[in-house]
Amino acid sequence: MATTDKASTRDRLLDAAAELFYRDGVSIGVEALCRTAGVSKRSMYQLFDGKDDVLAASLARRAPGYAAQLTPGPGDAGTPRERILYVFERAEALSAAADYRGCPYLAALVELKDPAHPASVVAREAKERLQGAFRTQAERGGAEDPAFLARQLMLVFDGASARAGSGIETLDGLATTTAAALLDAAGMRAPGERTAPGERTAAGERTAPADR
């Protein structure tokens, strides 16, 4: 019975941390955290060394579900281009929610400003996994420079989530069309779409200019 009670206390703390840190930021205090979770500070310190570890654990627990919201499953059909654009389509859909505050992992990195913070380590790993997924699809899609394309896509993803999360931008197709332009430039065009005269192919060669 004690094991069940302890697990329940831990879950309540992590649920409260996920809600409060995402809504109000990482500066939320221990008292507010424990009050929202309905647990005592003593109980929290029996499970965690402090608030920093609660934040890190809440981000780590959220990561698989967050990734599942954004990325297609390994068995889902789709070309590499479609699988990349799916991420941006999902990000746009999520950003329409009234309680959307942007990417929780980017927010943690920006607010903490400490690469060694346990939550920063978790957040950075989550961002690196998404960048790695972009790079894998870019390689499969024949992009000229998959690593560089993956970095460009992360720039769009993080910029879009930050602007939408702060309420200064409504995405509504903006992130997806921007990502599609990067894919086009990298040679990952939609099936049947031809490279325009004078543009570079995926192999880095320029096509012949049109007859005048």
Side-chain angles (χ1 to χ4, degrees):
M1 187 68 181
T3 302
T4 301
D5 290 344
K6 208 164 204 180
S8 178
T9 299
R10 186 178 191 277
D11 287 341
R12 292 204 305 273
L13 278 166
L14 295 183
D15 287 342
E19 175 188 347
L20 292 176
F21 291 143
Y22 186 63
R23 187 187 68 199
D24 302 326
V26 299
S27 62
I28 195 75
V30 170
E31 288 190 6
L33 173 61
C34 291
R35 183 170 59 252
T36 302
V39 305
S40 66
K41 287 194 285 186
R42 179 181 178 183
S43 295
M44 189 200 84
Y45 284 114
Q46 286 177 336
L47 292 166
F48 300 96
D49 290 337
K51 187 189 78 172
D52 291 351
D53 290 319
V54 179
L55 173 56
S58 71
L59 287 174
R61 189 179 71 160
R62 184 176 182 176
Y66 183 69
Q69 285 184 305
L70 287 171
T71 57
D76 293 340
T79 64
R81 177 190 174 91
E82 290 168 343
R83 293 177 72 85
I84 288 173
L85 292 180
Y86 177 90
V87 175
F88 292 92
E89 291 166 358
R90 291 295 304 140
E92 290 177 354
L94 293 172
S95 73
D99 61 351
Y100 182 74
R101 298 293 182 272
C103 170
Y105 300 96
L106 177 64
L109 289 168
V110 171
E111 288 191 60
L112 291 169
K113 298 179 177 63
D114 177 8
H117 191 289
S120 292
V121 173
V122 172
R124 188 166 57 253
E125 288 173 350
K127 303 305 291 183
E128 288 172 351
R129 282 193 295 272
L130 180 57
Q131 184 169 326
F134 283 149
R135 178 170 181 169
T136 296
Q137 296 306 319
E139 290 171 346
R140 292 174 179 172
E144 181 180 346
D145 188 341
F148 187 66
L149 176 58
R151 290 171 59 199
Q152 290 178 308
L153 292 170
M154 287 302 298
L155 196 64
V156 174
F157 180 90
D158 285 341
S161 64
R163 290 179 64 82
S166 60
I168 61 175
E169 188 67 82
T170 301
L171 299 184
D172 193 23
L174 181 61
T176 303
T177 55
T178 304
L182 289 175
L183 297 179
D184 289 346
M188 291 181 63
R189 294 180 177 272
E193 186 178 351
R194 301 182 62 182
T195 303
E199 288 187 348
R200 290 190 181 277
T201 66
E205 300 173 347
R206 288 194 179 276
T207 58
D211 293 335
R212 295 185 183 277

